Amino acid sequence: MLEIEELTVAIEGKEILHDVNMTIKKGETRVLFGPNGSGKTTLLMAIMGFPRYQVSKGKIVFKEKDITKLPLDERARLGIGMAFQRPPVVRGVKARDIVAVCLKERKDGETIRQLAGKADLVEFLDRDINYGFSGGEIKRSEIMQLLAQKPELTLLDEPESGVDLVNIALIGRLINELLEKDCPIHRRKCMGLIISHTGGILDYVNARTGYVMLDGRIICEGDPHEILKTIKERGYKGCSICIK
Amino acid sequence: MHKVKSSSKYIDKAKAASAKPALLGEDLDLESYVSSAEEQPYRDDPLQLPVETKEQMMEVGVTLDNMNQRSGTFLQVDNAPIHFSRRQEGLEVMSTSEALEKYQWLVDYYWRAVPVDSDKYTAHVELNQSDGYFIRALPGIKTTYPVQACLYLAKANLAQNVHNIIIAEEGSELHIITGCTTGLREEPGLHIGITEFYIKKGAKITFTMIHRWTPKVAVRPRTGAIVEENGLFMNNYVILKSVRSLQMYPTAWCMGENSTARYNTILIATSGSTIDVGSRVFLRARESKTEIIARAITSGGTITSRGYIEGNCPEVKGHLECRGLILAGEGIIHAIPELRGTVAGVNLSHEAAIGKIAEEEVEYLMSRGLTRAEATATIVRGFLRVDIEGLPSMLSAEIERAVQASEKELM
């Protein structure tokens, strides 16, 4: 389980998130909506533990352990994984190398090839990671790495942005595998938090709860399809009017 | 033991240049080194060398336990060749002195790719009648395994003088790995190595050189290559561990149409090392081309990474890439890429960059579960990885192994 209590996060002294509360139970997938600059990515980065994102108040509890001060790499090893929206290019480090890192002791050529096959990235394994990758290739590569990493908490930052229709169906399938959607909810170990700007991913991935974030605060929680419908009809302005 | 017989015309020129400082690098006092070393016995079976020596040779890619993985072997300790042999017909591996005795024509190749009066180091090699290796592939012969050569500096305060000549006759293909290393630990020493390459029509040479020195050894290689029509010269260089002072600027002349010269250089400088290394190519025939790639990384040493491409003929193409990474606060990297075109129709370009390890990349890898140290090492390994097209996998593996060994020292 992930429990976030009154989380307040600043970047270089500027407070971005204010008193965020959120709980995700085993097997659940939750979607976070919000306009650009509302703080969605900041929340994911703070959960993952990037040092630039300073927690000034509140706490993050994962698997009953307070991880608020735990370093980034220890959180990854504890079972948190993140698919980045714009990951950096690391020259000379091949996609194959990173998948091997994620697989740890399970790494072998055949497993790596199978994972790449699933993500339609076999030909990319010997390329420098993210170098010259298209939008869709980056998304698939990020999720391929998470499939290797097998995190218990998956953080996905706009998995559908910049992706064409063919790719989005494949990405949806990969996310469903990652979040064990084939299993009944009570048997799943994995949980997911997905940032979505447009809500397009909901056509492919089922989520139980949606949140709306505005100006660093979660202002609404409810059925994600209903939330999305409201946003489509009235925009995020409608959300701010609604809560008044 | 054969004596090196040279021509009086070289000796006169060498005498005139005997005090001429090199254009680059610290001006070493040759008088502070001794020129002669004890005689070394010739060894039919080099496996009998001391275990420590063999291990040091192994570090620079020279394997004596597994000589069936090599087409030929040449070993020199100080100034004496101690073993040479070849396992493939059509291939010649011997000392330069023996080759000069065997082939009258060889004198015509002497000091043609490297002028004898370049500086006092070339002059010193000539005036000391220096030996070295002669490797030649007869026309159409292709080596199945690489030929290996080791130049080993054993005696303290010695100036090791070496003169090598490598000839790939028409249509031949020659892969060579040369390891230069020393048994010295705290004592000074000097290695001067002249290497001349002649790549005939349609021939190919890949030359992979791995250097492993110690903190008081100075190194002055002088290398030239002449590449004829459709010929290919590929030079790969890696330096591991500390060196007091290394300066070299190997040069290739692409003289034949559609000839190619490629240089891949990996420079690693720890604290106390001063390295000034470049690669220079003259494109003198139509459709000749070159690619020069250098990676420089310092954890406290000083690196000057040079590159020079000159296009003297239309329709030539050259690209120069130099990337540097400073790991620690006091390291210095000075990248000097130069291009010169003397006619219309040349196509030359360069890119150079010096930076640090990007925090964003470290954190990206940490988010996959690597510790900070592991993530940094992975990025450094990636930075130093140069994918060398056309190099036999056995030699790529030797380069990879050498780079990994030096990483430990660097981190």
Side-chain angles (χ1 to χ4, degrees):
Chain A
M1 193 156 80
L2 173 76
E3 291 169 283
I4 296 171
E5 291 174 24
E6 297 186 342
L7 191 71
T8 299
V9 175
I11 302 173
E12 289 161 6
K14 189 184 174 203
E15 207 172 284
I16 308 288
L17 296 184
H18 321 279
D19 296 307
V20 171
N21 290 291
M22 184 182 281
T23 301
I24 307 179
K25 291 180 186 157
K26 261 190 185 176
E28 289 181 346
T29 300
R30 302 200 169 198
V31 180
L32 184 59
F33 300 106
N36 284 333
S38 59
K40 305 185 299 295
T41 298
T42 299
L43 177 61
L44 259 55
M45 299 298 259
I47 297 171
M48 191 70 235
F50 282 88
R52 243 181 104 229
Y53 297 78
Q54 293 289 319
V55 175
S56 52
K57 200 182 102 190
K59 63 178 179 181
I60 306 167
V61 177
F62 177 61
K63 289 161 79 176
E64 295 172 1
K65 182 176 177 178
D66 185 343
I67 61 164
T68 318
K69 291 189 173 144
L70 203 66
L72 164 66
D73 54 321
E74 288 183 40
R75 293 191 205 191
R77 291 195 292 275
L78 195 65
I80 303 178
M82 179 165 171
F84 294 79
Q85 202 186 346
R86 279 183 286 273
V89 171
V90 191
R91 293 302 299 268
V93 176
K94 308 295 176 191
R96 178 189 300 283
D97 302 335
I98 294 214
V99 176
V101 161
C102 294
L103 283 167
K104 296 186 205 80
E105 65 277 2
R106 293 176 292 126
K107 68 177 173 195
D108 66 74
E110 184 51 28
T111 309
I112 293 172
R113 208 198 57 77
Q114 276 178 6
L115 280 168
K118 273 184 194 170
D120 197 15
L121 287 172
V122 173
E123 286 165 19
F124 288 70
L125 281 175
D126 291 312
R127 280 173 52 173
D128 291 0
I129 189 73
N130 303 326
Y131 184 69
F133 284 27
S134 71
E137 286 152 4
I138 282 185
K139 305 292 176 193
R140 285 188 272 129
S141 156
E142 289 292 298
I143 296 169
M144 167 176 72
Q145 292 171 51
L146 292 183
L147 282 169
Q149 203 177 342
K150 287 193 171 174
E152 283 173 61
L153 171 62
T154 294
L155 308 169
L156 300 168
D157 194 350
E158 298 206 17
E160 80 272 42
S161 71
V163 177
D164 60 42
L165 278 174
V166 179
N167 267 306
I168 198 165
L170 172 57
I171 285 168
R173 281 201 300 277
L174 296 172
I175 294 174
N176 284 329
E177 181 178 341
L178 191 58
L179 297 173
E180 301 175 309
K181 294 289 191 188
D182 284 349
C183 290
I185 191 161
H186 65 275
R187 280 176 49 200
R188 287 182 211 150
K189 285 183 184 156
C190 297
M191 47 198 142
L193 178 59
I194 305 175
I195 290 182
S196 182
H197 192 56
T198 62
I201 197 69
L202 285 175
D203 293 341
Y204 301 90
V205 179
N206 196 22
R208 167 172 289 207
T209 309
Y211 298 98
V212 176
M213 182 172 263
L214 273 183
D215 298 328
R217 292 176 204 278
I218 288 181
I219 58 154
C220 181
E221 180 178 341
D223 180 275
H225 293 278
E226 280 183 31
I227 291 177
L228 186 62
K229 190 165 166 269
T230 310
I231 296 168
K232 278 183 177 167
E233 285 169 3
R234 295 192 278 166
Y236 286 109
K237 273 187 183 165
C239 293
S240 51
I241 294 165
C242 170
I243 57 159
K244 283 177 185 168
Chain B
M1 195 56 161
H2 300 266
K3 284 272 177 236
V4 177
K5 288 178 197 154
S6 192
S7 155
S8 61
K9 67 176 177 183
Y10 298 130
I11 293 172
D12 293 342
K13 278 187 168 180
K15 278 182 182 162
S18 62
K20 180 181 170 184
L23 288 172
L24 305 168
E26 177 194 345
D27 187 28
L28 303 172
D29 177 14
L30 292 175
E31 301 291 319
S32 67
Y33 298 95
V34 296
S35 287
S36 59
E38 293 76 30
E39 285 284 305
Q40 298 283 343
Y42 186 88
R43 294 172 189 264
D44 287 318
D45 182 7
L47 262 180
Q48 291 160 357
L49 282 167
V51 174
E52 194 188 8
T53 309
K54 283 193 290 183
E55 282 173 0
Q56 285 160 344
M57 290 182 174
M58 186 75 109
E59 273 190 70
V60 288
V62 175
T63 170
L64 301 181
D65 293 326
N66 229 345
M67 279 170 54
N68 56 356
Q69 299 285 300
R70 299 291 188 250
S71 287
T73 297
F74 173 92
L75 305 175
Q76 176 161 333
V77 173
D78 293 333
N79 288 328
I82 61 157
H83 174 87
F84 41 89
S85 57
R86 57 136 171 98
R87 303 172 82 91
Q88 188 179 342
E89 285 298 319
L91 186 66
E92 297 178 328
V93 179
M94 63 185 90
S95 64
T96 311
S97 55
E98 187 169 312
L100 278 168
E101 200 145 291
K102 187 172 177 184
Y103 296 122
Q104 296 289 314
W105 48 260
L106 186 57
V107 78
D108 295 335
Y109 289 80
Y110 227 59
W111 296 117
R112 218 171 91 198
V114 178
V116 65
D117 55 357
S118 298
D119 55 34
K120 65 191 201 184
Y121 308 109
T122 53
H124 186 81
V125 167
E126 172 59 23
L127 294 173
N128 284 278
Q129 303 291 290
S130 310
D131 218 332
Y133 56 75
F134 170 79
I135 299 172
R136 179 178 175 226
L138 295 181
I141 294 295
K142 297 188 169 153
T143 47
T144 38
Y145 292 107
V147 178
Q148 64 179 358
C150 183
L151 303 168
Y152 186 89
L153 175 60
K155 185 181 169 171
N157 296 307
L158 179 74
Q160 180 184 40
N161 313 306
V162 184
H163 194 155
N164 309 314
I165 295 187
I166 297 158
I167 303 172
E169 298 288 358
E170 287 188 14
S172 65
E173 193 172 312
L174 193 50
H175 302 285
I176 299 167
I177 180 162
T178 287
C180 298
T181 186
T182 181
L184 301 177
R185 291 174 200 280
E186 294 301 321
E187 309 89 338
L190 170 64
H191 168 86
I192 309 175
I194 311 299
T195 308
E196 300 187 72
F197 294 93
Y198 299 96
I199 299 101
K200 303 287 183 69
K201 283 182 187 169
K204 172 179 175 181
I205 290 181
T206 78
F207 183 74
T208 300
M209 183 154 80
I210 300 175
H211 274 182
R212 173 201 159 278
W213 303 108
T214 46
K216 290 196 178 156
V217 173
V219 184
R220 292 291 182 268
R222 297 292 181 256
T223 306
I226 295 173
V227 194
E228 294 183 8
E229 195 179 322
N230 295 319
L232 169 68
F233 175 59
M234 189 198 290
N235 186 97
N236 308 305
Y237 177 74
V238 183
I239 178 161
L240 318 166
K241 304 210 171 180
S242 307
V243 64
R244 185 189 127 199
S245 165
L246 159 68
Q247 187 275 317
M248 66 174 183
Y249 212 156
T251 302
W253 283 269
C254 288
M255 302 303 286
E257 276 192 21
N258 195 38
S259 54
T260 306
R262 287 168 58 194
Y263 285 88
N264 297 289
T265 303
I266 297 173
L267 305 173
I268 297 166
T270 49
S271 185
S273 296
T274 303
I275 294 175
D276 185 332
V277 170
S279 307
R280 181 164 37 205
V281 178
F282 292 91
L283 299 170
R284 297 218 160 146
R286 275 179 189 272
E287 294 184 34
S288 57
K289 51 200 167 292
T290 184
E291 185 179 44
I292 296 174
I293 294 175
R295 297 277 182 274
I297 188 160
T298 174
S299 62
T302 299
I303 298 176
T304 307
S305 178
R306 298 173 194 274
Y308 182 93
I309 303 174
E310 185 171 315
N312 309 123
C313 189
E315 294 167 49
V316 299
K317 199 172 176 184
H319 182 68
L320 176 55
E321 178 190 312
C322 171
R323 289 169 60 203
L325 198 57
I326 302 176
L327 291 184
E330 289 175 12
I332 295 172
I333 296 176
H334 186 174
I336 310 175
E338 291 184 81
L339 305 175
R340 185 166 187 260
T342 60
V343 288
V346 300
N347 180 354
L348 310 177
S349 59
H350 76 71
E351 55 181 298
I354 299 172
K356 60 173 186 176
I357 291 181
E359 185 61 17
E360 186 193 18
E361 295 174 25
V362 175
E363 288 176 355
Y364 182 54
L365 295 179
M366 285 173 77
S367 78
R368 302 293 183 234
L370 292 183
T371 63
R372 177 167 287 278
E374 288 166 343
T376 306
T378 302
I379 292 166
V380 167
R381 196 173 309 136
F383 175 83
L384 293 174
R385 182 188 260 165
V386 179
D387 295 323
I388 302 169
E389 195 188 318
L391 190 69
S393 58
M394 196 181 278
L395 293 178
S396 298
E398 288 293 351
I399 292 176
E400 180 86 17
R401 205 166 60 88
V403 169
Q404 278 181 18
S406 59
E407 259 170 40
K408 286 178 195 147
E409 184 150 326
L410 204 56
M411 307 305 290

